[in-house]
Amino acid sequence: MSSHDAVTEAAADRRRWIALAIVMTAAFMDLVDATIVNIAIPSIERDLGASFGAIQWITAGYALAFAAGLITGGRLGDIYGRKRLFLFGTAGFTLASALCGFAANSEMLVASRLLQGAAAAMMVPQVLSIIHVTFPAHERGKVFGMFGAIIGLGAVSGPLLGALLTQWNIAGLEWRPIFLINLPVGIAGLILGRKFITESKAPKALRLDLVGVLLVTLALLMLIYPLTRGRELDWPLWGHLCMAGSLVVFGALIAYEKYKTKKDGSPLVELSLFKVKSFAAGIAVQLTFGVVMGIFFLVWTLYMQIGLGWSPLKAGLTGVPFSIAVSTAAGLSVQKLVPRFGRKVLQAGALTMAAGVLLYIWEAGRYGTSIHSWQMILPLVVMGLGMGLIVAPLTDAVLSDVPREHAGSASGLINTTGQMGNALGLGLVSVVFYGVIDEERLARVPGEVGAAFTDAFQNALGWAVAVLAGIFLVMFALPAKPKQHVEGAESADEDESAGESAKEPALSH
């Protein structure tokens, strides 16, 4: 190799690691944004006079718009270029963040959050696709490990960041900086992304399946909207019919996707993936784990800030041991444990997390409203270690038996089901948390708020334990040892011959 070739290769190598840092930052920004709002909810409620329904929509609306648009966003990236869609999504996300930050009332904030979720759905699916086309097979295991750690860190650092920004009350803006902080990050991502990310598309011409887009969006709305509004409207009949009808729409989606596959081979959802046992099981794990996360992060915030009367900063700092535990376990699981013990690591994660939740339930009952931050450290660390053992290796385990040409499509479905679970969990907060609070009694006896919220918190966590037990059992269908995407020398050769500009790997969302 000549010195000129060596310099060119080093420059290309540097470019792809910069590209990775850019897309990872975007993924981090999205994850932080999904959780940062929770800690600021009491402040938003006071400032905008928002109802509980509006508060749920500020969180669930984002998750719903994100979940509904993810598969579509991935497909659009395949058709029009992943770099182009990534930059378009980042621009939309930055603009929506500005609108959230300057929202004059709760209606404007809900609408801006929906827009923000839709923009994230254009931006986020490109992250895994860009990683696939930028890195050869033998390096992807390491990159997925980093991606898993970012997911864990993003999900749990949001509350602390939200607490600090709310507590500091910068320029008297109270909760608004939690959204405005995205502006400089988004603008930097746009400028650097244009320069360093290499454009790539799917190798064969694909069409956008508009009927599929419509059906998947309608099915999700019919399921999650009545769950979110149900308690407020006293569980009307139309809500139950709507939720039952969503199953019919999901059935229609499956039937139409089968027809679309035969007709032109360009379906929105690649149904053949579900014949892969480990993928189908992994999707079930992703969905149910999303439900646990959706429930836990919101009820935890409500319990600490409204039930115990803690400040946003005290609540945020209480979560620091959790963040550290997640990041530590995430790094350890991918690099050291999974290559040796395989799916047992993920199962140990589910059991560890359940143990932490049970410990938290016991402590909340034992100490009541006089519980201290330091007393929460042990259950939070145990829960965090469990979560870290699951989030980092899960993507790799789910994708390990998926054919290479469908890796992009599979990535889109993993993201979608996680977000769908999250939106579902947020909707279920009405049932598992607020459903056990007697609001009329609290209006008469305000002094009982702490005890009522503690009971509701314990009830919601009890449901989380039951879901984690189910996750543990479903994990038996995951491959005993994920292949870590190291597909031997031939796939490395394939990567090399797939075009210098990394435009050829057959990916389709």
Side-chain angles (χ1 to χ4, degrees), residues 182-194:
N182 290 336
L183 271 59
V185 180
I187 291 164
L190 282 169
I191 295 165
L192 294 171
R194 276 195 69 188

Side-chain angles (χ1 to χ4, degrees), residues 75 207 209 257 260-261 264-271 509:
R75 176 61 91 211
R207 291 187 198 88
D209 174 7
E257 293 303 283
K260 187 85 169 126
T261 305
D264 60 12
S266 201
L268 183 69
V269 179
E270 191 63 59
L271 293 174
H509 269 275

Side-chain angles (χ1 to χ4, degrees), residues 286 420 452 473 476 492:
Q286 191 78 14
M420 195 172 135
L473 295 173
F476 277 106

Side-chain angles (χ1 to χ4, degrees), residues 336 401 490:
K336 305 268 189 230
D401 288 340
E490 54 191 323

